[in-house]
Amino acid sequence: MSSARERLTRLLSLVPYLDAHPGADLEDTAAYFGIDSDTLIDDLQLLFVTGRPGHMPDDLIDASWEGGQIFISNAEEVSVPVRLSAEEAGVLVLALELLSSLPGLDSEAVATAASKLRLAAGENLRTAVDVSPIDVDEELLSAMRQAVDDESALQIEYYVASRDELTTRIIAPTNLVPGSDWYVDAWCYSAGAPRRFALGSIRTWEPADHPPLSVSESSSRSHEVTLGFDGRGAWLADELDVTEREYFDNGETSVRVRLLVHSVDWLSRFLLCHADVITEVDDTDAVSAALRRLG
């Protein structure tokens, strides 16, 4: 079952495709869009109530698929392939710039994609799109990236603004995360738990002579979690970067998802924020952490 967002995206691509391929085979078109023929027919039936404001017969798209060949008409309003706005292209370029700084990625491929997006948006604007990534100490970012790759530890001096305190910690970085600042997910030996640190609050850093993470510590890094949401929270399934999604017509759970979680701390805060719509979770550590926050 497709989400509303997935279906809208497919419909916006389906009309230009059919307009450019009159008489397209029903089965071949379904395969092209990665759906079955029944789902495609549902989409075509939806086109009958789609068109310009006014809702008169001449305002609506007409579609036929008798004999297994698809023809559409009166679809000029949406027959042009969807193009990114300057703002959307800018956001994507920024995301690609950030991705290029992450370890383990093909930076050349990312740079090529960003260049193409800049060109496309520049043509629309008749000017180039200038997107600047997050300011960061490049030497610190490089040290964190190297520590992630080597699975090594660092000793850092970390400023805690809420206490106006400079703390010394030994951490084992596991993942770099871009946001309003650059962040690093790490096992904090001082706290004995995973933590997320803002690079902008790290004052000094140096290699630390510390043994590798134990099996129990390593297992608390990235792991998959199952979450269930009721009907009120079903929208969260579209907001999260999930690996699996399953919808239900009956019962308390409306949608169940699987997602990769890099931080128990993040998950515990997510559970507290959305506790009223979460119906199931299979991470006992995150539940315990959330309960401790309440206490």
Side-chain angles (χ1 to χ4, degrees):
M1 178 178 178
S2 301
S3 68
R5 178 182 298 181
E6 290 170 339
R7 193 178 191 191
L8 176 59
T9 301
R10 186 170 63 245
L11 283 169
L12 290 173
S13 301
L14 178 62
V15 174
Y17 176 86
L18 294 175
D19 186 65
H21 300 84
D25 182 80
L26 182 70
E27 296 290 343
D28 290 345
T29 302
Y32 180 83
F33 284 93
I35 55 178
D36 57 37
S37 57
D38 289 338
T39 302
L40 177 57
I41 290 173
D42 286 341
D43 288 347
L44 294 171
Q45 289 174 334
L46 181 59
L47 294 180
F48 284 118
V49 292
T50 305
R52 294 187 298 269
H55 308 294
M56 299 299 290
D58 290 342
D59 294 323
L60 302 177
I61 295 173
D62 186 27
S64 66
W65 52 93
E66 292 182 6
Q69 289 185 302
I70 309 172
F71 295 91
I72 64 169
S73 59
N74 205 30
E76 293 79 8
E77 296 289 335
V78 287
S79 62
V80 178
V82 178
R83 301 190 69 183
L84 294 172
S85 68
E87 292 78 9
E88 291 169 332
V91 170
L92 287 175
V93 170
L94 175 58
L96 288 170
E97 293 284 0
L98 296 176
L99 282 174
S100 67
S101 301
L102 293 175
L105 293 177
D106 185 343
S107 58
E108 183 176 351
V110 173
T112 300
S115 177
K116 291 179 178 179
L117 272 172
R118 287 179 184 274
L119 178 60
E123 288 174 346
N124 290 337
L125 293 174
R126 299 187 182 278
T127 183
V129 176
D130 183 18
V131 181
S132 299
I134 301 165
D135 289 334
V136 66
D137 186 314
E138 292 295 338
E139 186 178 351
L140 171 57
L141 185 62
S142 177
M144 290 296 166
R145 189 181 298 122
Q146 191 65 47
V148 171
D149 290 341
D150 297 343
E151 298 184 355
S152 58
L154 296 171
Q155 179 173 302
I156 63 172
E157 287 188 323
Y158 188 76
Y159 177 67
V160 182
S162 61
R163 302 198 303 265
D164 189 25
E165 179 184 0
L166 189 63
T167 63
T168 300
R169 306 163 185 253
I170 295 179
I171 64 171
T174 58
N175 188 46
L176 283 165
V177 182
S180 56
D181 190 358
W182 273 99
Y183 298 89
V184 60
D185 289 332
W187 178 266
C188 179
Y189 289 100
S190 304
R195 292 287 186 268
R196 172 166 291 185
F197 301 96
L199 265 60
S201 296
I202 296 177
R203 300 293 182 257
T204 65
W205 65 94
E206 61 182 15
D209 184 13
H210 206 281
L213 293 176
S214 67
V215 173
S216 62
E217 292 165 344
S218 296
S219 65
S220 68
R221 294 158 71 180
S222 298
H223 59 288
E224 281 202 333
V225 173
T226 297
L227 291 175
F229 303 104
D230 63 19
R232 295 169 301 153
W235 63 274
L236 288 166
D238 291 327
E239 299 298 320
L240 295 169
D241 184 15
V242 303
T243 57
E244 296 178 23
R245 184 188 291 110
E246 184 179 7
Y247 291 91
F248 302 92
D249 295 327
N250 300 308
E252 184 183 10
T253 297
S254 177
V255 56
R256 179 182 296 129
V257 299
R258 291 282 291 172
L259 69 156
L260 188 64
V261 173
H262 302 287
S263 167
V264 173
D265 185 55
W266 174 88
L267 182 57
S268 68
R269 287 184 279 112
F270 181 86
L271 295 178
L272 289 175
C273 289
H274 303 288
D276 58 330
V277 299
I278 294 175
T279 58
E280 54 185 275
V281 56
D282 65 354
D283 191 310
T284 56
D285 289 339
V287 172
S288 298
L291 293 175
R292 287 195 297 271
R293 286 176 179 270
L294 285 175

